């Protein structure tokens, strides 16, 4: 690995929404990086070598020189601070805070959606059964917040694109790509976000069989 390149550790299936978020941020910023995988199915993330680099023993982890960092939103915030030339967060402090709020919410809430519509639906075409009442309630909560956040006629949440757009589109696509009912405005939004070149680079990664 060249000294000026980053090293990004992701899951073997390239299905982690959080690894995707960091991958997209690196691609948007045009920062060179090498991609390595960690087999979560065999608990390779808990092995000593990886644990020495990843404080939380999870993916993604980003390594650059002697510095390593895990937890996706911490990584993308670090990248924006260290390489501000091409921002992946809004520049306005209030909108930036809102984008961070969206990221934190998508990572800590809506668990029934995450359980019943895993990202294998998005990246492998897997299909789930009908949503349970708990997941349906979570979906309605997601739609309510997304429709408030997304201005009418806007392509992005906060004017210019931000990494929060990728994260929200991924959550919506868990439902859309399973054929669940999603408001048309949010379907259009997620489709536009998915067409972004940096997102397509992740989508088109060569994945092993599930």
């Amino acid at each position: 690995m060249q000294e000026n390149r980053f090293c990004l550790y992701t899951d073997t299936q390239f299905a982690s929404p959080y690894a995707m978020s960091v991958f997209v941020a690196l691609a948007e910023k045009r920062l060179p990086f090498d991609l390595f995988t960690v087999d979560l199915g065999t608990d390779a993330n808990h092995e000593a070598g990886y644990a020495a680099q990843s404080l939380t023993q999870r993916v993604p982890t980003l390594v650059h020189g002697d510095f390593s960092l895990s937890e996706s939103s911490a990584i993308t915030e670090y990248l924006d601070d260290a390489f501000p030339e091409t921002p992946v967060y809004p520049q306005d402090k209030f909108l930036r805070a809102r984008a961070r709020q969206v990221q934190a919410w998508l990572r800590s809430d809506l668990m029934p959606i995450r359980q019943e519509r895993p990202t294998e639906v998005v990246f492998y075409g897997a299909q789930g059964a009908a949503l349970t009442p708990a997941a349906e309630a979570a979906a309605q909560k997601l739609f309510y917040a997304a429709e408030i956040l997304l201005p009418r006629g806007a392509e992005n949440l906060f004017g210019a694109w931000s990494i929060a757009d990728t994260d929200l589109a991924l959550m919506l696509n868990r439902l859309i790509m399973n054929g669940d009912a999603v408001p048309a405005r949010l379907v259009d939004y997620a489709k536009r976000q998915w067409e972004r070149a940096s997102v397509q680079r992740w989508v088109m990664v060569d994945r092993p069989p599930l």
Side-chain angles (χ1 to χ4, degrees):
M1 182 176 66
Q2 298 177 16
E3 187 176 348
N4 65 336
R5 293 178 72 90
F6 288 91
C7 174
L8 175 62
Y9 288 89
T10 181
D11 60 305
T12 305
Q13 282 72 38
F14 302 100
S16 166
Y18 314 119
M20 174 184 173
S21 189
V22 175
F23 181 101
V24 168
L26 287 165
E28 290 285 339
K29 288 179 172 292
R30 294 180 172 81
L31 295 171
F33 63 97
D34 295 296
L35 196 59
F36 295 89
T37 60
V38 180
D39 191 346
L40 305 182
T42 62
D43 292 328
N45 51 309
H46 299 306
E47 293 176 0
Y50 186 70
Q53 304 232 62
S54 177
L55 181 65
T56 57
Q57 300 180 32
R58 303 208 291 183
V59 296
T61 290
L62 187 72
V63 178
H64 190 222
D66 295 330
F67 180 67
S68 63
L69 188 66
S70 55
E71 303 307 310
S72 59
S73 59
I75 296 171
T76 53
E77 289 179 27
Y78 161 72
L79 290 173
D80 232 30
D81 288 340
F83 303 94
E85 297 80 8
T86 304
V88 296
Y89 285 94
Q91 297 302 286
D92 176 85
K93 64 181 179 181
F94 298 112
L95 296 180
R96 188 179 183 90
R98 188 69 74 195
R100 288 171 167 171
Q101 179 189 26
V102 169
Q103 286 191 298
W105 176 54
L106 294 174
R107 286 157 172 74
S108 63
D109 199 359
L110 309 173
M111 182 57 74
I113 298 176
R114 290 188 278 156
Q115 290 175 333
E116 297 181 31
R117 298 293 183 264
T119 51
E120 284 77 11
V121 169
V122 177
F123 300 117
Y124 282 90
Q127 293 290 290
L131 294 172
T132 64
E136 184 61 46
Q140 293 305 315
K141 183 178 181 181
L142 172 64
F143 303 155
Y144 173 79
E147 292 201 296
I148 288 177
L149 286 165
L150 183 65
R152 288 282 174 185
E155 293 190 358
N156 305 306
L157 294 174
F158 309 115
W161 173 88
S162 77
I163 194 62
D165 286 298
T166 297
D167 290 349
L168 179 58
L170 185 281
M171 183 62 79
L172 290 167
N173 274 335
R174 292 174 185 260
L175 300 164
I176 294 167
M177 293 184 181
N178 194 78
D180 299 306
V182 176
R185 189 163 76 94
L186 299 183
V187 172
D188 291 343
Y189 162 77
K191 181 180 180 180
R192 286 194 302 270
Q193 295 299 328
W194 220 241
E195 292 170 350
R196 197 170 183 87
S198 57
V199 173
Q200 281 297 302
R201 277 184 61 183
W202 175 265
V203 171
M204 299 305 293
V205 167
D206 186 20
R207 291 176 172 81
L210 188 60

